[in-house]
Amino acid sequence: MDIRAVDLNLLPVLDALLRHRSVTLAARELNMSQSALSTALRRLRELLGDELFVRTGRGLRPTSRASALSEPVAEILERVRDRILQSSTFDPRTAKSEFRIAHSDVGAYVLWPRVVRAVRTAAPRVRLVLKTLTQSEIGPALAEGQVDLAIGSYPDLPDSLFQQRLFDRVYVALVADGHPLARKTLTLRSFAATPQIVVRGPSGVQDRIEAYLASHGLVRGECVELPSYLMIPPLLEAGDFLAVVPGQLADAFSRHGSLVTLALPVPVPASVIRMHWHRRFSEDAGSKWLRDLIAQEFGAEPVQRRRSPR
């Protein structure tokens, strides 16, 4: 089928019928007469060679073909509204935009409350959606507009993305308040001998620690591996474990429990927390406003920079 022969005005009709399953309600939303909407439905049926909707005692029911078109049609219309018809300006006081931000679990725990507070203060009608994605999912999600920003330490994202540095994240040791090492200077030997909770992530911190210990003839003893930092506090409070965690997360944990932060005896480089976004949306007024707000909240310089090739 030649797309030039397709009347794209029919897509909002199909979308409204799929959502309302009522000619009356769809016509009301589109400000059309019922007869005009019925005519549009007839044209859709002819165009697609399918009945699309069947009338039942409960109203219109979509055929399998119509149901399959629901998501792509809604996505097409959303993109037209957001990327073609949107205003070139953004007024946070009146905007009703939705922004989707990807965080790691640590980012969700530590950074998300600050982001929400800042956005709600400046733009009370803006809706925020938190996405927790793996590093491999972030690049495609940004490129496709499934998320507007990714915030975190993601060293292996595509070079095509834009980025802005927010702050450095340092790592510390965390133990329960009643732990034998609490408020003591942690030595390399005592660190290696202490049972530990280990979370392995893209930063490679745990691998660096193990390599450094090996270079000094040491290995960690008992270790319990977890998939998420957020599972650590109950284990620390219930046992004699030690955990290596990001400093900001240790501060957040300590506010809600009897935990003590210790300096690491291992030289672990700080990881950099950045905002990442796709160049397709770099000039979008709403996205620029959000990036500037977050940069201001975390004390970063409000300058956009292309990701440097490694």
Side-chain angles (χ1 to χ4, degrees):
M1 182 186 300
D2 189 342
I3 193 171
R4 291 174 296 179
V6 178
D7 183 356
L8 297 181
N9 290 314
L10 296 175
L11 293 184
V13 173
L14 179 56
D15 177 64
L17 285 169
L18 282 164
R19 286 184 287 105
H20 294 296
R21 301 188 181 184
S22 163
V23 170
T24 301
L25 295 177
R28 185 179 303 163
E29 177 184 301
L30 298 172
N31 197 24
M32 299 171 63
S33 67
Q34 291 190 40
S35 61
L37 192 134
S38 296
T39 299
L41 176 57
R42 175 176 52 78
R43 293 176 61 196
L44 277 165
R45 286 167 168 164
E46 294 172 354
L47 176 69
L48 298 174
D50 189 87
E51 188 69 10
L52 295 178
F53 296 92
V54 178
R55 193 173 296 280
T56 70
R58 295 185 177 182
L60 296 179
R61 306 295 295 178
T63 64
S64 58
R65 176 75 188 283
S67 295
L69 291 172
S70 176
E71 184 175 342
V73 167
E75 183 178 345
I76 289 168
L77 294 175
E78 180 184 3
R79 291 192 177 193
V80 170
R81 284 190 292 264
D82 292 350
R83 301 179 191 175
I84 297 177
L85 302 180
Q86 69 177 353
S87 170
S88 59
T89 60
F90 181 85
D91 184 351
R93 296 167 299 177
T94 59
K96 296 182 180 179
S97 304
E98 176 181 284
F99 295 113
R100 291 149 293 191
I101 303 176
H103 282 301
S104 64
D105 57 353
V106 174
Y109 195 92
V110 176
L111 307 180
W112 186 244
R114 293 181 61 180
V115 172
V116 170
R117 183 171 58 250
V119 171
R120 288 189 68 192
T121 300
R125 305 173 79 178
V126 162
R127 183 169 182 262
L128 291 175
V129 178
L130 170 66
K131 300 283 187 179
T132 52
L133 305 176
T134 64
Q135 185 163 208
S136 63
E137 293 172 327
I138 288 174
L142 288 169
E144 293 300 318
Q146 296 169 1
V147 294
D148 300 284
L149 281 178
I151 303 177
S153 177
Y154 302 114
D156 296 321
L157 291 183
D159 291 339
S160 59
L161 295 177
F162 283 79
Q163 68 169 5
Q164 184 172 3
R165 183 184 186 126
L166 295 179
F167 58 87
D168 290 345
R169 180 174 68 187
V170 299
Y171 288 85
V172 299
L174 194 64
V175 297
D177 188 34
H179 195 283
L181 294 175
R183 299 178 183 84
K184 294 184 179 179
T185 300
L186 193 59
T187 67
L188 195 61
R189 191 167 296 279
S190 63
F191 173 82
T194 301
Q196 294 190 28
I197 301 169
V198 174
V199 177
R200 298 188 187 275
S203 65
V205 166
Q206 300 296 342
D207 295 335
R208 290 192 183 99
I209 289 173
E210 288 165 358
Y212 187 82
L213 290 174
S215 70
H216 288 73
L218 297 170
V219 294
R220 283 192 285 202
E222 180 186 354
C223 286
V224 174
E225 292 209 13
L226 297 177
S228 170
Y229 285 108
L230 304 187
M231 302 167 67
I232 287 176
L235 285 175
L236 290 181
E237 292 172 348
D240 57 350
F241 288 104
L242 173 153
V244 176
V245 302
Q248 291 86 354
L249 185 61
D251 292 341
F253 283 162
S254 297
R255 287 195 293 270
H256 300 288
S258 300
L259 302 173
V260 176
T261 299
L262 304 173
L264 285 172
V266 179
V268 178
S271 58
V272 181
I273 303 301
R274 295 181 171 94
M275 283 190 295
H276 304 267
W277 65 96
H278 197 274
R279 57 187 175 86
R280 289 173 55 199
F281 312 107
S282 187
E283 297 305 315
D284 175 81
S287 295
K288 289 174 70 175
W289 170 84
L290 179 63
R291 295 195 302 268
D292 286 347
L293 181 75
I294 292 174
Q296 192 174 38
E297 173 68 21
F298 292 102
E301 296 179 2
V303 177
Q304 299 175 0
R305 294 175 290 181
R306 193 76 175 262
R307 191 175 177 87
S308 303
R310 293 182 301 275

